[in-house]
Amino acid sequence: MNHRIFLLLLLCVGMVSCRRAAEKAREGIRIEAVEAAEVHGMTGLDLVLRVRNDTGYKLRIDKVGFDVYFASSRVVGVRLRNPVVIPRHTVDSHATQWRVQVSDPLALYALLRRVRQNEPADLSVSFVVEGRGGPKRVNISRERMPLSEFLNTFGIDLQDLKNRFEP
C-alpha cells in the first residue's frame, strides 16, 4: 500500500501560478506501471515505477513522506530516501527506495486486516511532497485524507493494493 505515495508526487507538477496550466501539466504526468516492488521486512521498500512525463519540465522530487492512520493513531510512515529526477518528455523506469517506520505493529496488523476485508473506514493518509518542476518550487501537503479518496486520485482501489502485495 505504501508505494502509491509516489503517485502523489506526480501530481505536484501543477506548480505554475495559472490553475489551467497546472491542470494541463498534471495530465501529462502519470505512473504507467509498478514494474517491481520489494519489501524489506518492516523497514524498507524498493519500487521500480514506469513514469510518463509529457510536460516540458524536468521534475526533481526532493522529499516525499506520508503517514497512514487507523482511527486517530499513526500506524506507519514512509519516506523517500533519495531524490528522484524525471526528465521532460520521457517515459522511463525509476528505481526508488523508501524508509518505512512502523509506529505500532498491532495497529498495523489491524490496518492490514481492514484492507484485506475491503473496509477502508477509519483509514487515512497525510502526505508532504517537496521538489522542483522547472523553475518553480513544489510544496504540497494534506492532512488526514481518507484512504479511499487518496487511492481514487490515482485510479486504484483496495483490490489493486491487495493484488500487488499478496503472495
Side-chain angles (χ1 to χ4, degrees):
M1 168 171 44
N2 299 332
H3 73 279
R4 296 297 179 179
I5 191 60
F6 191 79
L7 295 170
L8 178 65
L9 66 93
L10 296 177
L11 294 176
C12 70
V13 297
M15 48 214 109
V16 293
S17 59
C18 176
R19 182 174 179 86
R20 181 178 229 179
E23 290 172 4
K24 186 176 179 179
R26 280 189 199 109
E27 292 171 5
I29 306 259
R30 66 183 166 280
I31 290 186
E32 304 240 315
V34 177
E35 294 179 341
E38 185 176 345
V39 178
H40 302 285
M42 294 179 69
T43 62
L45 175 66
D46 292 345
L47 297 173
V48 177
L49 303 168
R50 185 156 198 73
V51 180
R52 175 179 296 277
N53 179 1
D54 288 336
T55 72
Y57 296 108
K58 175 177 82 171
L59 304 175
R60 179 181 168 90
I61 307 303
D62 297 316
K63 177 182 175 184
V64 177
F66 73 98
D67 297 304
V68 180
Y69 292 84
F70 179 51
S72 62
S73 298
R74 178 184 176 270
V75 176
V76 64
V78 180
R79 306 291 179 263
L80 183 65
R81 287 187 175 180
N82 303 308
V84 176
V85 176
I86 304 166
R88 62 189 182 118
H89 301 297
T90 61
V91 178
D92 205 359
S93 297
H94 297 274
T96 60
Q97 296 178 327
W98 302 82
R99 183 181 66 234
V100 178
Q101 303 162 320
V102 176
S103 301
D104 182 347
L106 292 176
L108 178 61
Y109 174 77
L111 182 147
L112 293 173
R113 198 172 94 222
R114 286 275 183 127
V115 169
R116 283 187 202 105
Q117 295 171 351
N118 286 331
E119 297 176 8
D122 294 333
L123 303 180
S124 60
V125 177
S126 294
F127 63 85
V128 63
V129 177
E130 295 178 7
R132 292 193 76 78
K136 300 285 186 172
R137 291 283 312 148
V138 175
N139 292 304
I140 300 172
S141 63
R142 181 139 181 221
E143 293 294 322
R144 303 281 182 96
M145 176 184 222
L147 178 63
S148 57
E149 182 182 333
F150 177 76
L151 296 175
N152 286 338
T153 302
F154 311 110
I156 60 173
D157 59 19
L158 289 176
Q159 188 60 47
D160 295 325
L161 295 179
K162 290 189 298 187
N163 292 345
R164 171 51 73 182
F165 287 103
E166 286 182 350

